[in-house]
Amino acid sequence: MESGGAGGDNILVPLAAISAVLAVAIFVLFVVKRTPPSNKSVPLTLVVDRASIERLFPEVRLTAPADSCAVCLVDMQTHEPCRQLQCSHLFHADCIDRWFLRGVSTMVCPTCRRTQCDGADVECSV
């Protein structure tokens, strides 16, 4: 009878070790899953207002017709007020202002989806 009890104890030790490893693994997975990613592909949230848009992207006047505006899909004509983003894409000034102020508060180019505050003097946070 004593040998049966000793055999039962031999099984409990590995079972307890496996349970402990599983508990640690579940805890680590839970912590990792709750940690937000910190890569640069996540758009930055900004304090977006008309003054910061005008400061970052001053109006330019086209000297020649350009492609269509990706926001309104209308061709940009000579001498129209436009804004050129950091990614070099051009838009009608009113169109890109509405795009940035549409309530999402991310300054992302509508064409290439690049965040537009990288290196800019604006309030950015993830």
Short mmCIF file of all heavy atoms in Angstrom, two decimals, residues 32-94:
data_model
loop_
_atom_site.label_atom_id
_atom_site.label_comp_id
_atom_site.label_asym_id
_atom_site.label_seq_id
_atom_site.Cartn_x
_atom_site.Cartn_y
_atom_site.Cartn_z
N VAL A 32 0.78 40.42 -22.86
CA VAL A 32 1.23 40.79 -24.20
C VAL A 32 0.04 41.24 -25.05
O VAL A 32 0.13 42.22 -25.78
CB VAL A 32 1.97 39.61 -24.87
CG1 VAL A 32 2.20 39.85 -26.34
CG2 VAL A 32 3.30 39.36 -24.16
N LYS A 33 -1.08 40.57 -24.95
CA LYS A 33 -2.25 40.92 -25.73
C LYS A 33 -2.79 42.29 -25.33
O LYS A 33 -3.30 43.03 -26.16
CB LYS A 33 -3.32 39.85 -25.57
CG LYS A 33 -4.51 40.06 -26.47
CD LYS A 33 -5.44 38.89 -26.43
CE LYS A 33 -6.58 39.14 -27.38
NZ LYS A 33 -6.80 38.09 -28.29
N ARG A 34 -2.67 42.70 -24.09
CA ARG A 34 -3.19 43.97 -23.61
C ARG A 34 -2.25 45.13 -23.88
O ARG A 34 -2.64 46.27 -23.76
CB ARG A 34 -3.47 43.89 -22.11
CG ARG A 34 -4.35 42.72 -21.74
CD ARG A 34 -5.68 42.97 -21.24
NE ARG A 34 -5.82 44.04 -20.31
CZ ARG A 34 -6.96 44.67 -20.17
NH1 ARG A 34 -7.99 44.34 -20.90
NH2 ARG A 34 -7.08 45.64 -19.32
N THR A 35 -1.00 44.87 -24.29
CA THR A 35 -0.04 45.92 -24.57
C THR A 35 -0.24 46.39 -26.00
O THR A 35 -0.15 45.60 -26.93
CB THR A 35 1.41 45.39 -24.39
OG1 THR A 35 1.54 44.86 -23.08
CG2 THR A 35 2.42 46.50 -24.60
N PRO A 36 -0.52 47.71 -26.21
CA PRO A 36 -0.73 48.19 -27.58
C PRO A 36 0.55 48.17 -28.39
O PRO A 36 1.64 48.34 -27.84
CB PRO A 36 -1.23 49.62 -27.37
CG PRO A 36 -0.73 50.02 -26.03
CD PRO A 36 -0.63 48.75 -25.23
N PRO A 37 0.46 47.97 -29.70
CA PRO A 37 1.67 47.97 -30.53
C PRO A 37 2.28 49.37 -30.56
O PRO A 37 1.58 50.37 -30.47
CB PRO A 37 1.15 47.56 -31.91
CG PRO A 37 -0.29 47.89 -31.90
CD PRO A 37 -0.74 47.76 -30.47
N SER A 38 3.59 49.43 -30.71
CA SER A 38 4.27 50.72 -30.71
C SER A 38 5.00 50.96 -32.02
O SER A 38 6.04 51.59 -32.04
CB SER A 38 5.24 50.79 -29.54
OG SER A 38 6.23 49.79 -29.69
N ASN A 39 4.46 50.44 -33.13
CA ASN A 39 5.13 50.67 -34.41
C ASN A 39 4.65 51.97 -35.02
O ASN A 39 3.63 52.51 -34.65
CB ASN A 39 4.94 49.48 -35.36
CG ASN A 39 3.48 49.21 -35.65
OD1 ASN A 39 2.64 50.07 -35.45
ND2 ASN A 39 3.19 48.04 -36.13
N LYS A 40 5.37 52.47 -36.01
CA LYS A 40 5.05 53.76 -36.61
C LYS A 40 3.89 53.70 -37.59
O LYS A 40 3.46 54.73 -38.08
CB LYS A 40 6.28 54.33 -37.30
CG LYS A 40 7.31 54.80 -36.33
CD LYS A 40 8.16 55.85 -36.96
CE LYS A 40 9.03 56.45 -35.89
NZ LYS A 40 9.44 57.78 -36.19
N SER A 41 3.37 52.52 -37.88
CA SER A 41 2.26 52.45 -38.83
C SER A 41 0.94 52.87 -38.18
O SER A 41 -0.03 53.09 -38.86
CB SER A 41 2.13 51.04 -39.40
OG SER A 41 1.76 50.15 -38.38
N VAL A 42 0.91 52.99 -36.85
CA VAL A 42 -0.28 53.43 -36.17
C VAL A 42 -0.40 54.95 -36.33
O VAL A 42 0.52 55.67 -36.00
CB VAL A 42 -0.22 53.07 -34.66
CG1 VAL A 42 -1.42 53.64 -33.93
CG2 VAL A 42 -0.12 51.58 -34.47
N PRO A 43 -1.52 55.45 -36.86
CA PRO A 43 -1.65 56.89 -37.02
C PRO A 43 -1.59 57.59 -35.68
O PRO A 43 -2.11 57.11 -34.68
CB PRO A 43 -3.02 57.07 -37.65
CG PRO A 43 -3.37 55.74 -38.19
CD PRO A 43 -2.64 54.72 -37.37
N LEU A 44 -0.96 58.73 -35.66
CA LEU A 44 -0.85 59.50 -34.44
C LEU A 44 -2.09 60.37 -34.26
O LEU A 44 -2.59 60.96 -35.19
CB LEU A 44 0.40 60.39 -34.50
CG LEU A 44 1.71 59.63 -34.64
CD1 LEU A 44 2.86 60.60 -34.81
CD2 LEU A 44 1.95 58.75 -33.45
N THR A 45 -2.56 60.44 -33.00
CA THR A 45 -3.69 61.28 -32.70
C THR A 45 -3.18 62.69 -32.41
O THR A 45 -2.21 62.86 -31.69
CB THR A 45 -4.45 60.74 -31.48
OG1 THR A 45 -4.81 59.39 -31.76
CG2 THR A 45 -5.68 61.55 -31.19
N LEU A 46 -3.84 63.68 -32.97
CA LEU A 46 -3.38 65.05 -32.88
C LEU A 46 -4.44 65.97 -32.33
O LEU A 46 -5.61 65.65 -32.33
CB LEU A 46 -3.01 65.58 -34.28
CG LEU A 46 -2.06 64.79 -35.12
CD1 LEU A 46 -2.01 65.40 -36.51
CD2 LEU A 46 -0.70 64.81 -34.49
N VAL A 47 -3.99 67.13 -31.89
CA VAL A 47 -4.89 68.23 -31.66
C VAL A 47 -4.95 68.96 -33.00
O VAL A 47 -4.03 69.66 -33.38
CB VAL A 47 -4.37 69.15 -30.55
CG1 VAL A 47 -5.26 70.35 -30.39
CG2 VAL A 47 -4.23 68.38 -29.25
N VAL A 48 -6.01 68.72 -33.79
CA VAL A 48 -6.10 69.24 -35.14
C VAL A 48 -7.06 70.43 -35.14
O VAL A 48 -8.21 70.31 -34.71
CB VAL A 48 -6.62 68.17 -36.13
CG1 VAL A 48 -6.74 68.73 -37.52
CG2 VAL A 48 -5.70 66.96 -36.12
N ASP A 49 -6.57 71.56 -35.61
CA ASP A 49 -7.42 72.72 -35.83
C ASP A 49 -6.95 73.43 -37.09
O ASP A 49 -5.90 73.10 -37.65
CB ASP A 49 -7.43 73.65 -34.62
CG ASP A 49 -6.04 74.17 -34.25
OD1 ASP A 49 -5.08 73.91 -34.99
OD2 ASP A 49 -5.93 74.85 -33.22
N ARG A 50 -7.72 74.37 -37.55
CA ARG A 50 -7.41 75.05 -38.81
C ARG A 50 -6.06 75.77 -38.74
O ARG A 50 -5.30 75.77 -39.70
CB ARG A 50 -8.51 76.02 -39.18
CG ARG A 50 -8.40 76.50 -40.61
CD ARG A 50 -9.65 77.21 -41.09
NE ARG A 50 -10.84 76.39 -41.10
CZ ARG A 50 -11.15 75.55 -42.08
NH1 ARG A 50 -10.35 75.38 -43.11
NH2 ARG A 50 -12.28 74.85 -42.04
N ALA A 51 -5.72 76.34 -37.58
CA ALA A 51 -4.44 77.06 -37.45
C ALA A 51 -3.25 76.12 -37.61
O ALA A 51 -2.27 76.46 -38.28
CB ALA A 51 -4.38 77.77 -36.10
N SER A 52 -3.33 74.91 -37.02
CA SER A 52 -2.21 73.97 -37.17
C SER A 52 -2.11 73.46 -38.60
O SER A 52 -1.01 73.24 -39.11
CB SER A 52 -2.33 72.81 -36.17
OG SER A 52 -3.49 72.06 -36.40
N ILE A 53 -3.24 73.29 -39.28
CA ILE A 53 -3.21 72.86 -40.69
C ILE A 53 -2.55 73.94 -41.54
O ILE A 53 -1.68 73.65 -42.36
CB ILE A 53 -4.64 72.56 -41.20
CG1 ILE A 53 -5.20 71.33 -40.50
CG2 ILE A 53 -4.64 72.35 -42.71
CD1 ILE A 53 -6.68 71.12 -40.74
N GLU A 54 -2.94 75.19 -41.32
CA GLU A 54 -2.38 76.29 -42.10
C GLU A 54 -0.89 76.47 -41.81
O GLU A 54 -0.12 76.83 -42.69
CB GLU A 54 -3.15 77.57 -41.83
CG GLU A 54 -4.55 77.53 -42.42
CD GLU A 54 -5.42 78.71 -42.03
OE1 GLU A 54 -4.96 79.58 -41.25
OE2 GLU A 54 -6.57 78.75 -42.49
N ARG A 55 -0.47 76.23 -40.57
CA ARG A 55 0.94 76.36 -40.21
C ARG A 55 1.77 75.24 -40.84
O ARG A 55 2.86 75.47 -41.38
CB ARG A 55 1.10 76.34 -38.69
CG ARG A 55 2.54 76.63 -38.24
CD ARG A 55 2.67 76.65 -36.72
NE ARG A 55 2.59 75.31 -36.17
CZ ARG A 55 1.59 74.86 -35.40
NH1 ARG A 55 0.58 75.63 -35.08
NH2 ARG A 55 1.60 73.63 -34.94
N LEU A 56 1.25 74.01 -40.82
CA LEU A 56 1.98 72.87 -41.36
C LEU A 56 1.99 72.84 -42.89
O LEU A 56 2.97 72.43 -43.50
CB LEU A 56 1.38 71.56 -40.85
CG LEU A 56 1.64 71.23 -39.40
CD1 LEU A 56 0.78 70.05 -38.98
CD2 LEU A 56 3.10 70.94 -39.16
N PHE A 57 0.86 73.24 -43.47
CA PHE A 57 0.70 73.14 -44.93
C PHE A 57 0.17 74.46 -45.48
O PHE A 57 -1.01 74.60 -45.76
CB PHE A 57 -0.28 72.00 -45.28
CG PHE A 57 -0.04 70.74 -44.50
CD1 PHE A 57 -0.91 70.36 -43.49
CD2 PHE A 57 1.07 69.95 -44.76
CE1 PHE A 57 -0.69 69.21 -42.76
CE2 PHE A 57 1.29 68.80 -44.03
CZ PHE A 57 0.42 68.43 -43.02
N PRO A 58 1.05 75.45 -45.64
CA PRO A 58 0.58 76.74 -46.16
C PRO A 58 0.00 76.59 -47.56
O PRO A 58 0.40 75.71 -48.31
CB PRO A 58 1.83 77.62 -46.15
CG PRO A 58 2.99 76.69 -45.97
CD PRO A 58 2.48 75.41 -45.40
N GLU A 59 -0.95 77.46 -47.88
CA GLU A 59 -1.56 77.43 -49.21
C GLU A 59 -0.54 77.73 -50.28
O GLU A 59 0.34 78.57 -50.09
CB GLU A 59 -2.70 78.46 -49.31
CG GLU A 59 -3.99 77.98 -48.73
CD GLU A 59 -5.14 78.94 -49.02
OE1 GLU A 59 -4.98 79.87 -49.85
OE2 GLU A 59 -6.20 78.74 -48.42
N VAL A 60 -0.64 77.01 -51.38
CA VAL A 60 0.19 77.28 -52.56
C VAL A 60 -0.76 77.50 -53.72
O VAL A 60 -1.89 77.01 -53.73
CB VAL A 60 1.16 76.11 -52.86
CG1 VAL A 60 2.18 75.94 -51.74
CG2 VAL A 60 0.43 74.81 -53.09
N ARG A 61 -0.31 78.25 -54.71
CA ARG A 61 -1.10 78.48 -55.92
C ARG A 61 -0.42 77.74 -57.06
O ARG A 61 0.79 77.85 -57.26
CB ARG A 61 -1.17 79.98 -56.26
CG ARG A 61 -1.78 80.84 -55.20
CD ARG A 61 -3.27 80.70 -55.19
NE ARG A 61 -3.85 81.47 -54.08
CZ ARG A 61 -5.10 81.77 -54.00
NH1 ARG A 61 -5.93 81.36 -54.93
NH2 ARG A 61 -5.56 82.44 -52.99
N LEU A 62 -1.16 76.94 -57.76
CA LEU A 62 -0.61 76.17 -58.87
C LEU A 62 -0.26 77.10 -60.03
O LEU A 62 -1.00 78.02 -60.34
CB LEU A 62 -1.61 75.12 -59.33
CG LEU A 62 -1.99 74.04 -58.33
CD1 LEU A 62 -3.03 73.12 -58.92
CD2 LEU A 62 -0.78 73.26 -57.88
N THR A 63 0.86 76.83 -60.64
CA THR A 63 1.25 77.59 -61.84
C THR A 63 0.86 76.85 -63.11
O THR A 63 0.95 77.40 -64.19
CB THR A 63 2.77 77.86 -61.83
OG1 THR A 63 3.45 76.62 -61.75
CG2 THR A 63 3.16 78.74 -60.66
N ALA A 64 0.45 75.60 -62.95
CA ALA A 64 -0.01 74.79 -64.09
C ALA A 64 -1.07 73.82 -63.57
O ALA A 64 -1.06 73.46 -62.39
CB ALA A 64 1.15 74.02 -64.70
N PRO A 65 -1.99 73.41 -64.42
CA PRO A 65 -3.00 72.43 -63.97
C PRO A 65 -2.33 71.15 -63.44
O PRO A 65 -1.27 70.76 -63.91
CB PRO A 65 -3.81 72.15 -65.23
CG PRO A 65 -3.57 73.31 -66.13
CD PRO A 65 -2.19 73.79 -65.81
N ALA A 66 -2.96 70.55 -62.46
CA ALA A 66 -2.42 69.33 -61.85
C ALA A 66 -3.46 68.22 -61.94
O ALA A 66 -4.57 68.43 -62.45
CB ALA A 66 -2.04 69.61 -60.41
N ASP A 67 -3.10 67.07 -61.43
CA ASP A 67 -4.02 65.94 -61.39
C ASP A 67 -5.25 66.29 -60.56
O ASP A 67 -5.32 67.34 -59.93
CB ASP A 67 -3.33 64.71 -60.79
CG ASP A 67 -2.24 64.16 -61.70
OD1 ASP A 67 -2.32 64.37 -62.92
OD2 ASP A 67 -1.31 63.52 -61.17
N SER A 68 -6.18 65.38 -60.50
CA SER A 68 -7.39 65.63 -59.72
C SER A 68 -7.10 65.50 -58.23
O SER A 68 -6.21 64.77 -57.80
CB SER A 68 -8.50 64.68 -60.14
OG SER A 68 -8.14 63.35 -59.86
N CYS A 69 -7.88 66.22 -57.46
CA CYS A 69 -7.81 66.17 -56.00
C CYS A 69 -8.39 64.81 -55.56
O CYS A 69 -9.49 64.44 -55.98
CB CYS A 69 -8.61 67.33 -55.43
SG CYS A 69 -8.85 67.28 -53.65
N ALA A 70 -7.67 64.08 -54.74
CA ALA A 70 -8.13 62.74 -54.32
C ALA A 70 -9.32 62.80 -53.37
O ALA A 70 -9.97 61.79 -53.15
CB ALA A 70 -6.98 61.99 -53.67
N VAL A 71 -9.61 63.97 -52.82
CA VAL A 71 -10.76 64.09 -51.91
C VAL A 71 -12.04 64.32 -52.70
O VAL A 71 -13.03 63.62 -52.53
CB VAL A 71 -10.52 65.21 -50.87
CG1 VAL A 71 -11.75 65.39 -49.99
CG2 VAL A 71 -9.29 64.92 -50.02
N CYS A 72 -12.03 65.32 -53.61
CA CYS A 72 -13.26 65.65 -54.35
C CYS A 72 -13.27 65.11 -55.79
O CYS A 72 -14.30 65.17 -56.46
CB CYS A 72 -13.46 67.15 -54.38
SG CYS A 72 -12.27 68.04 -55.42
N LEU A 73 -12.13 64.61 -56.25
CA LEU A 73 -11.98 64.02 -57.58
C LEU A 73 -12.14 65.02 -58.73
O LEU A 73 -12.40 64.63 -59.87
CB LEU A 73 -12.93 62.83 -57.78
CG LEU A 73 -12.81 61.73 -56.72
CD1 LEU A 73 -13.86 60.66 -56.97
CD2 LEU A 73 -11.42 61.14 -56.70
N VAL A 74 -11.98 66.31 -58.45
CA VAL A 74 -12.05 67.36 -59.47
C VAL A 74 -10.63 67.79 -59.80
O VAL A 74 -9.78 67.90 -58.90
CB VAL A 74 -12.89 68.56 -58.97
CG1 VAL A 74 -12.85 69.71 -59.95
CG2 VAL A 74 -14.32 68.12 -58.69
N ASP A 75 -10.36 68.06 -61.09
CA ASP A 75 -9.02 68.51 -61.49
C ASP A 75 -8.67 69.83 -60.81
O ASP A 75 -9.53 70.70 -60.65
CB ASP A 75 -8.94 68.69 -63.01
CG ASP A 75 -8.95 67.37 -63.75
OD1 ASP A 75 -8.67 66.33 -63.11
OD2 ASP A 75 -9.23 67.37 -64.96
N MET A 76 -7.41 69.96 -60.42
CA MET A 76 -6.94 71.20 -59.80
C MET A 76 -6.47 72.14 -60.90
O MET A 76 -5.66 71.76 -61.75
CB MET A 76 -5.82 70.89 -58.80
CG MET A 76 -6.33 70.13 -57.58
SD MET A 76 -5.08 69.79 -56.36
CE MET A 76 -4.29 68.38 -57.09
N GLN A 77 -7.00 73.35 -60.90
CA GLN A 77 -6.73 74.33 -61.94
C GLN A 77 -5.65 75.32 -61.50
O GLN A 77 -5.38 75.48 -60.30
CB GLN A 77 -8.01 75.08 -62.30
CG GLN A 77 -9.14 74.17 -62.79
CD GLN A 77 -8.77 73.41 -64.06
OE1 GLN A 77 -8.16 73.97 -64.97
NE2 GLN A 77 -9.13 72.14 -64.12
N THR A 78 -5.08 76.02 -62.46
CA THR A 78 -4.08 77.04 -62.21
C THR A 78 -4.65 78.11 -61.28
O THR A 78 -5.80 78.50 -61.41
CB THR A 78 -3.65 77.69 -63.55
OG1 THR A 78 -3.24 76.65 -64.44
CG2 THR A 78 -2.50 78.65 -63.37
N HIS A 79 -3.83 78.56 -60.35
CA HIS A 79 -4.13 79.63 -59.38
C HIS A 79 -5.17 79.24 -58.33
O HIS A 79 -5.63 80.11 -57.59
CB HIS A 79 -4.54 80.92 -60.10
CG HIS A 79 -3.49 81.42 -61.05
ND1 HIS A 79 -2.24 81.82 -60.64
CD2 HIS A 79 -3.49 81.53 -62.39
CE1 HIS A 79 -1.52 82.19 -61.69
NE2 HIS A 79 -2.26 82.01 -62.78
N GLU A 80 -5.57 77.98 -58.25
CA GLU A 80 -6.47 77.55 -57.17
C GLU A 80 -5.66 77.39 -55.90
O GLU A 80 -4.51 76.92 -55.93
CB GLU A 80 -7.12 76.19 -57.50
CG GLU A 80 -8.28 76.28 -58.44
CD GLU A 80 -9.00 74.95 -58.53
OE1 GLU A 80 -8.38 73.96 -58.95
OE2 GLU A 80 -10.19 74.92 -58.20
N PRO A 81 -6.23 77.75 -54.74
CA PRO A 81 -5.52 77.52 -53.49
C PRO A 81 -5.44 76.02 -53.18
O PRO A 81 -6.46 75.34 -53.14
CB PRO A 81 -6.35 78.26 -52.45
CG PRO A 81 -7.69 78.44 -53.06
CD PRO A 81 -7.52 78.39 -54.54
N CYS A 82 -4.23 75.53 -53.01
CA CYS A 82 -3.99 74.11 -52.74
C CYS A 82 -3.06 73.97 -51.55
O CYS A 82 -2.42 74.94 -51.12
CB CYS A 82 -3.38 73.43 -53.96
SG CYS A 82 -4.46 73.44 -55.39
N ARG A 83 -2.96 72.77 -51.02
CA ARG A 83 -1.99 72.47 -49.95
C ARG A 83 -1.20 71.25 -50.39
O ARG A 83 -1.76 70.29 -50.92
CB ARG A 83 -2.69 72.18 -48.63
CG ARG A 83 -3.46 73.35 -48.08
CD ARG A 83 -3.81 73.13 -46.61
NE ARG A 83 -4.82 74.06 -46.17
CZ ARG A 83 -4.59 75.33 -45.86
NH1 ARG A 83 -3.36 75.81 -45.94
NH2 ARG A 83 -5.56 76.11 -45.47
N GLN A 84 0.11 71.32 -50.18
CA GLN A 84 0.98 70.17 -50.47
C GLN A 84 1.39 69.56 -49.14
O GLN A 84 1.93 70.24 -48.28
CB GLN A 84 2.22 70.60 -51.26
CG GLN A 84 3.07 69.43 -51.66
CD GLN A 84 4.17 69.80 -52.64
OE1 GLN A 84 4.45 70.97 -52.85
NE2 GLN A 84 4.78 68.81 -53.23
N LEU A 85 1.11 68.27 -48.98
CA LEU A 85 1.43 67.58 -47.73
C LEU A 85 2.90 67.18 -47.70
O LEU A 85 3.62 67.30 -48.70
CB LEU A 85 0.54 66.35 -47.57
CG LEU A 85 -0.97 66.60 -47.61
CD1 LEU A 85 -1.72 65.32 -47.29
CD2 LEU A 85 -1.37 67.72 -46.69
N GLN A 86 3.36 66.67 -46.56
CA GLN A 86 4.75 66.25 -46.40
C GLN A 86 5.12 65.12 -47.35
O GLN A 86 6.27 64.97 -47.72
CB GLN A 86 5.01 65.84 -44.95
CG GLN A 86 4.87 66.99 -43.99
CD GLN A 86 4.76 66.53 -42.55
OE1 GLN A 86 4.54 65.36 -42.27
NE2 GLN A 86 4.92 67.47 -41.63
N CYS A 87 4.14 64.37 -47.80
CA CYS A 87 4.37 63.27 -48.73
C CYS A 87 4.36 63.75 -50.18
O CYS A 87 4.47 62.94 -51.09
CB CYS A 87 3.32 62.19 -48.53
SG CYS A 87 1.64 62.81 -48.71
N SER A 88 4.20 65.05 -50.40
CA SER A 88 4.20 65.72 -51.70
C SER A 88 2.88 65.63 -52.46
O SER A 88 2.80 66.13 -53.57
CB SER A 88 5.34 65.22 -52.59
OG SER A 88 6.57 65.50 -51.97
N HIS A 89 1.86 65.01 -51.91
CA HIS A 89 0.56 64.98 -52.59
C HIS A 89 -0.13 66.34 -52.46
O HIS A 89 -0.06 66.98 -51.42
CB HIS A 89 -0.33 63.87 -52.02
CG HIS A 89 0.14 62.51 -52.39
ND1 HIS A 89 0.60 61.60 -51.47
CD2 HIS A 89 0.25 61.91 -53.60
CE1 HIS A 89 0.96 60.50 -52.11
NE2 HIS A 89 0.76 60.66 -53.40
N LEU A 90 -0.79 66.76 -53.53
CA LEU A 90 -1.50 68.04 -53.60
C LEU A 90 -3.01 67.83 -53.51
O LEU A 90 -3.55 66.87 -54.07
CB LEU A 90 -1.20 68.74 -54.92
CG LEU A 90 0.15 69.44 -55.03
CD1 LEU A 90 0.43 69.80 -56.48
CD2 LEU A 90 0.18 70.69 -54.17
N PHE A 91 -3.68 68.78 -52.83
CA PHE A 91 -5.13 68.75 -52.68
C PHE A 91 -5.65 70.18 -52.71
O PHE A 91 -4.92 71.11 -52.38
CB PHE A 91 -5.54 68.10 -51.35
CG PHE A 91 -4.99 66.72 -51.17
CD1 PHE A 91 -3.78 66.51 -50.54
CD2 PHE A 91 -5.68 65.62 -51.65
CE1 PHE A 91 -3.26 65.24 -50.39
CE2 PHE A 91 -5.17 64.34 -51.50
CZ PHE A 91 -3.96 64.15 -50.87
N HIS A 92 -6.93 70.35 -53.07
CA HIS A 92 -7.55 71.65 -52.88
C HIS A 92 -7.46 71.98 -51.39
O HIS A 92 -7.67 71.09 -50.54
CB HIS A 92 -9.04 71.63 -53.28
CG HIS A 92 -9.26 71.46 -54.74
ND1 HIS A 92 -9.92 70.37 -55.26
CD2 HIS A 92 -8.93 72.24 -55.80
CE1 HIS A 92 -9.99 70.49 -56.57
NE2 HIS A 92 -9.38 71.62 -56.94
N ALA A 93 -7.18 73.24 -51.07
CA ALA A 93 -7.02 73.63 -49.66
C ALA A 93 -8.29 73.31 -48.86
O ALA A 93 -8.21 72.73 -47.77
CB ALA A 93 -6.66 75.10 -49.56
N ASP A 94 -9.45 73.67 -49.38
CA ASP A 94 -10.70 73.41 -48.66
C ASP A 94 -10.95 71.92 -48.48
O ASP A 94 -11.43 71.48 -47.43
CB ASP A 94 -11.89 74.03 -49.40
CG ASP A 94 -11.89 75.55 -49.30
OD1 ASP A 94 -11.24 76.11 -48.39
OD2 ASP A 94 -12.54 76.18 -50.15
#
